[in-house]
Amino acid sequence: DGGITQSPKYLFRKEGQNVTLSCEQNLNHDAMYWYRQDPGQGLRLIYYSQIVNDFQKGDIAEGYSVSREKKESFPLTVTSAQKNPTAFYLCAHADTNTGELFFGEGSRLTVL
Amino acid sequence: EDQVTQSPEALRLQEGESSSLNCSYTVSGLRGLFWYRQDPGKGPEFLFTLYSAGEEKEKERLKATLTKKESFLHITAPKPEDSATYLCAVPPGGGSQGNLIFGKGTKLSVKP
């Protein structure tokens, strides 16, 4: 599993609800990332964190929030402010020596 | 602006028909170029990292090469199980930390 686990794999949400996606890694890496993937588009960065208790916005952070209270965990909350939340969400951790990213299996969110 | 462009968007091959995928990039001070394979509904799987022009790496039927402006992923005698979307990515230029910039991918279909 590349040392990283995302859950749930599928999630349905009603409009106006917040939802939190889980991401856990067991390789003791400092850097973790959240990407969004839509059909016909490249992966777009939502948030990233290089160290516990610190994180930075990516290119499309509006309507999302994150926390990094523990090194192994980097949950993503999709808030009701996100206008088009239906997408495939990917969490990754990085080997900072090589820059290589290792992805989880993804979470597919559908807003009903 | 840092950018990654992949071509073609889609490629259909017969089993055994060799071909190449292209990834062109514009970024100052390349600090690595990464190739990933992504199966439908799954997270991207890391394949290769290339760091300098002239470098080549191989894995089974895949060989990645790098020049100063582009990278090629050569597929020799492909099999149906090579069908997937292939993504390339580079770190942002200017010494920025963190995320990779991804291309939109090439969807490869190999027919028996």
Side-chain angles (χ1 to χ4, degrees):
Chain A
D1 63 357
I4 186 165
T5 302
Q6 287 186 242
S7 63
K9 190 169 177 64
Y10 300 97
L11 189 61
F12 298 88
R13 188 194 92 176
K14 293 182 179 179
E15 283 192 22
Q17 289 181 335
N18 293 353
V19 63
T20 297
L21 309 180
S22 170
C23 179
E24 304 275 333
Q25 57 106 354
N26 61 10
L27 295 182
N28 204 37
H29 283 162
D30 287 311
M32 297 185 74
Y33 304 81
W34 275 104
Y35 284 87
R36 170 179 172 143
Q37 189 174 36
D38 296 283
Q41 298 203 39
L43 275 70
R44 293 182 291 168
L45 183 68
I46 305 172
Y47 269 98
Y48 66 99
S49 169
Q50 306 239 331
I51 196 168
V52 174
N53 292 322
D54 190 37
F55 47 83
Q56 284 78 44
K57 293 181 179 180
D59 301 319
I60 55 166
E62 185 175 352
Y64 300 97
S65 66
V66 294
S67 63
R68 188 83 187 277
E69 297 177 0
K70 298 185 294 183
K71 192 173 188 178
E72 62 269 26
S73 179
F74 191 40
L76 173 74
T77 296
V78 184
T79 75
S80 56
Q82 170 49 234
K83 299 303 179 188
N84 186 20
T86 294
F88 190 50
Y89 291 90
L90 289 160
C91 181
H93 61 95
D95 181 335
T96 50
N97 291 322
T98 63
E100 295 160 2
L101 288 182
F102 299 93
F103 288 87
E105 289 289 279
S107 294
R108 185 167 298 281
L109 172 63
T110 302
V111 174
L112 304 173
Chain B
E1 181 186 354
D2 299 334
Q3 201 165 11
V4 176
T5 303
Q6 292 188 246
S7 62
E9 291 184 10
L11 181 63
R12 288 186 168 188
L13 300 174
Q14 288 296 126
E15 184 172 3
E17 179 187 2
S18 301
S19 188
S20 296
L21 283 55
N22 177 265
C23 171
S24 63
Y25 59 90
T26 54
V27 63
S28 59
L30 184 69
R31 295 177 290 128
L33 185 141
F34 304 86
W35 281 100
Y36 289 83
R37 169 191 170 127
Q38 186 175 23
D39 292 305
K42 300 283 185 71
E45 174 189 349
F46 172 76
L47 291 174
F48 305 109
T49 307
L50 302 167
Y51 289 104
S52 56
E55 188 176 358
E56 298 183 352
K57 288 194 177 174
E58 291 188 60
K59 180 180 180 179
E60 296 181 358
R61 294 174 292 281
L62 301 176
K63 183 170 78 172
T65 62
L66 181 66
T67 72
K68 288 187 177 180
K69 292 189 176 182
E70 58 191 348
S71 176
F72 292 94
L73 186 64
H74 307 278
I75 303 175
T76 302
K79 298 182 177 182
E81 53 262 42
D82 295 320
S83 297
T85 296
Y86 291 86
L87 304 171
C88 74
V90 299
S96 303
Q97 297 295 316
N99 62 300
L100 299 181
I101 302 168
F102 282 84
K104 294 182 180 181
T106 293
K107 184 176 182 179
L108 173 66
S109 299
V110 182
K111 301 299 182 184

